[in-house]
């Protein structure tokens, strides 16, 4: 007999567990004399570790130690943090922001939406249009890009530029120089895209050498720059990526072993400590579709040691040497993107540059 209908399903059922057990956030300034402890207990969900680390990094907090566990459907983290000067977090506004951002209403993930099959989409929001550029880095490239925009009557209001392995990823925020509003004219944006692609491509004919896109929505800037360079395969620098291009202290040591009894792959990273190091590693693992189940992060003077127990989202570990080498290369690239310097002079920007 055919069914006349389906059983009723309450759409709020999926969020029932979160509403019954909302995230718990505690900022503790008494347990440790040298740092502030941020404790987060919550139901586990994909990407939650990256969300938490991203929020702490955006506040320019230094994570000196961290203990992460997310087995059994529950997420429990303890972060030891300081400000940029090594002091505890005592400002009430900062503490309140941490509690609100990580609390019951704070877990909102920005998702980048792209228009499949289109080389040019557009994200125009109020007073700006966002442009994404990737291509081969060279002296004078930024000057040529800005000259094209000026000639087309676009005003650059902000920009973020990263370079690695002689590749460049750039996020530009522009508006019309007469109205100071976002530009959504398809013809004008298409003209801009063609001219910028020509600049990025230079004398190269390969379309994969350069890309100009207009982002379809907003995502975290640092994460998007990582995604752009990852998609550009900057980790496959080959002979372009020589140890001479990097300070010796920024040469990371990365190993991948197997925890047989627990069914994890264990990623160990040792390198010089710096701001946002944990964010860069967790961001890369997350975008490569790996889940962190446990982690221990420690800093010993100027150096950091980070250990991650991971599986792929499909539950598999890294069993082949090819898989391991790809993860190692991608993590090395993620660590070096913030510290790499171009091998030439002439005013070309290094990593993590804020133009405006």
């Amino acid at each position: 007999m055919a069914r006349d209908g389906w059983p009723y399903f309450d759409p709020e059922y999926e969020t029932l567990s979160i509403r019954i057990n909302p995230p718990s956030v505690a900022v503790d300034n008494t347990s440790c004399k040298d740092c502030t402890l941020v404790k987060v207990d919550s139901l586990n969900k994909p990407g939650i570790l990256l969300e938490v680390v991203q929020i702490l990094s955006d506040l320019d907090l230094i994570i000196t130690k961290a203990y992460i566990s997310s087995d059994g459907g529950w997420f429990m983290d303890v972060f030891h943090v300081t400000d940029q000067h090594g002091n505890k977090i005592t400002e009430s506004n900062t503490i309140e922001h941490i509690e609100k951002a990580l609390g019951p209403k704070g877990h909102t993930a920005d998702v980048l939406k792209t228009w499949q099959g289109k080389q040019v989409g557009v994200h125009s929001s109020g007073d700006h249009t966002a442009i994404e550029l990737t291509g081969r880095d060279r002296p004078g490239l930024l000057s040529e890009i800005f000259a094209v925009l000026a000639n087309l009557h676009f005003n650059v209001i902000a920009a973020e530029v990263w370079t690695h392995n002689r590749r460049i990823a750039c996020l530009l925020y522009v508006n019309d120089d007469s109205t100071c509003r976002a530009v959504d004219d398809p013809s004008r944006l298409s003209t801009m895209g063609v001219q910028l692609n020509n600049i990025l491509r230079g004398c190269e004919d390969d379309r994969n050498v350069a890309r100009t896109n207009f982002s379809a929505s907003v995502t975290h800037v640092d994460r998007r720059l990582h995604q752009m360079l990852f998609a550009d395969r900057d980790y496959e620098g080959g002979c372009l990526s020589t140890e001479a291009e990097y300070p010796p202290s920024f040469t990371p040591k990365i190993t991948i072993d197997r925890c047989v009894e627990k069914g994890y792959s264990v990623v160990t990273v040792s390198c010089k400590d710096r701001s946002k190091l944990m964010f860069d590693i967790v961001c890369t693992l997350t975008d490569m579709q790996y889940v962190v189940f446990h982690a221990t992060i420690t800093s010993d003077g100027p150096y950091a040691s980070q250990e991650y127990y991971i599986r792929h989202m499909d539950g598999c570990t890294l069993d082949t040497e090819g898989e391991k080498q790809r993860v190692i290369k991608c993590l090395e690239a993620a660590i070096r993107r913030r510290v790499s310097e171009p091998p030439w002079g002439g005013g070309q920007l290094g990593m993590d540059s804020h133009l405006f």
Side-chain angles (χ1 to χ4, degrees):
M1 177 181 292
R3 299 180 67 97
D4 294 330
W6 294 97
Y8 172 75
F9 180 79
D10 187 340
E12 294 190 356
Y13 179 78
E14 291 184 354
T15 62
L16 179 62
S17 295
I18 296 177
R19 287 184 282 113
I20 293 176
N21 301 292
S24 171
V25 182
V27 179
D28 177 3
N29 267 320
T30 61
S31 298
C32 183
K33 65 177 182 178
D34 298 324
C35 61
T36 297
L37 271 60
V38 178
K39 305 175 184 178
V40 182
D41 293 335
S42 172
L43 284 174
N44 196 18
K45 68 173 185 177
I48 187 173
L49 176 59
L50 179 57
E51 289 182 30
V52 173
V53 175
Q54 179 178 298
I55 289 168
L56 297 177
S57 297
D58 285 348
L59 290 170
D60 289 330
L61 302 181
I62 304 297
I63 300 173
T64 59
K65 293 182 181 180
Y67 306 97
I68 289 95
S69 178
S70 62
D71 258 345
W74 197 257
F75 175 81
M76 294 177 288
D77 277 9
V78 178
F79 296 91
H80 296 234
V81 302
T82 68
D83 63 17
Q84 293 286 327
H85 304 290
N87 302 317
K88 287 186 175 185
I89 313 305
T90 57
E91 186 178 350
S92 58
N93 289 339
T94 302
I95 293 174
E96 183 179 359
H97 179 83
I98 292 172
E99 292 172 338
K100 287 184 176 179
L102 300 179
K105 297 181 180 179
H107 285 292
T108 55
D110 292 327
V111 179
L112 185 74
K113 300 176 181 178
T114 57
W115 295 345
Q116 297 296 329
K118 294 186 178 181
Q119 186 170 1
V120 175
V122 64
H123 160 52
S124 297
S125 176
D127 64 349
H128 73 267
T129 299
I131 311 171
E132 299 177 353
L133 307 174
T134 53
R136 189 184 303 279
D137 193 18
R138 55 184 170 79
L141 177 60
L142 290 176
S143 297
E144 294 177 31
I145 290 172
F146 292 157
V148 166
L149 293 172
N151 187 56
L152 295 173
H153 304 289
F154 285 93
N155 178 48
V156 179
I157 57 177
E160 294 275 349
V161 181
W162 284 14
T163 62
H164 179 247
N165 274 349
R166 301 185 185 177
R167 305 297 296 173
I168 185 171
C170 181
L171 286 173
L172 297 171
Y173 301 90
V174 304
N175 59 23
D176 182 85
D177 65 1
S178 59
T179 66
C180 295
R181 299 291 295 171
V183 178
D184 55 10
D185 178 2
S187 175
R188 191 175 175 192
L189 291 171
S190 177
T191 299
M192 179 213 293
V194 169
Q195 293 193 24
L196 289 178
N197 263 345
N198 290 337
I199 291 294
L200 288 166
R201 193 173 295 126
C203 60
E204 299 284 348
D205 293 328
D206 186 356
R207 284 185 172 271
N208 293 326
V209 169
R211 285 182 293 276
T212 300
N213 293 291
F214 302 90
S215 61
S217 79
V218 179
T219 191
H220 187 268
V221 172
D222 285 7
R223 184 177 186 184
R224 186 60 191 143
L225 288 165
H226 274 303
Q227 290 173 340
M228 290 165 63
L229 285 169
F230 175 75
D232 196 52
R233 306 177 78 88
D234 71 319
Y235 54 89
E236 294 182 345
C239 63
L240 296 179
S241 177
T242 63
E243 295 299 327
E245 293 182 18
Y246 305 97
S249 58
F250 284 109
T251 302
K253 180 181 179 182
I254 302 173
T255 60
I256 299 179
D257 299 307
R258 187 174 180 184
C259 179
V260 178
E261 62 274 17
K262 297 293 185 179
Y264 297 120
S265 292
V266 184
V267 179
T268 303
V269 181
S270 300
C271 65
K272 187 171 182 179
D273 199 10
R274 61 164 174 76
S275 177
K276 300 186 179 182
L277 176 63
M278 184 179 180
F279 170 82
D280 293 336
I281 293 173
V282 172
C283 178
T284 300
L285 290 173
T286 301
D287 285 336
M288 294 183 73
Q289 305 297 305
Y290 290 101
V291 179
V292 176
F293 289 89
H294 301 278
T296 303
I297 282 73
T298 59
S299 295
D300 182 13
Y303 294 96
S305 177
Q306 304 194 7
E307 190 174 64
Y308 298 89
Y309 290 73
I310 68 171
R311 296 190 194 113
H312 196 269
M313 286 187 67
D314 60 11
C316 296
T317 55
L318 284 76
D319 296 325
T320 69
E321 190 62 29
E323 291 175 311
K324 293 178 182 179
Q325 288 303 313
R326 183 170 183 267
V327 170
I328 289 173
K329 286 183 179 180
C330 291
L331 290 177
E332 286 179 345
I335 293 169
R336 285 171 158 165
R337 284 172 192 147
R338 288 190 194 270
V339 298
S340 64
E341 296 290 343
W344 48 74
Q348 191 64 20
L349 291 173
M351 266 301 306
D352 201 19
S353 299
H354 307 262
L355 298 184
F356 298 95

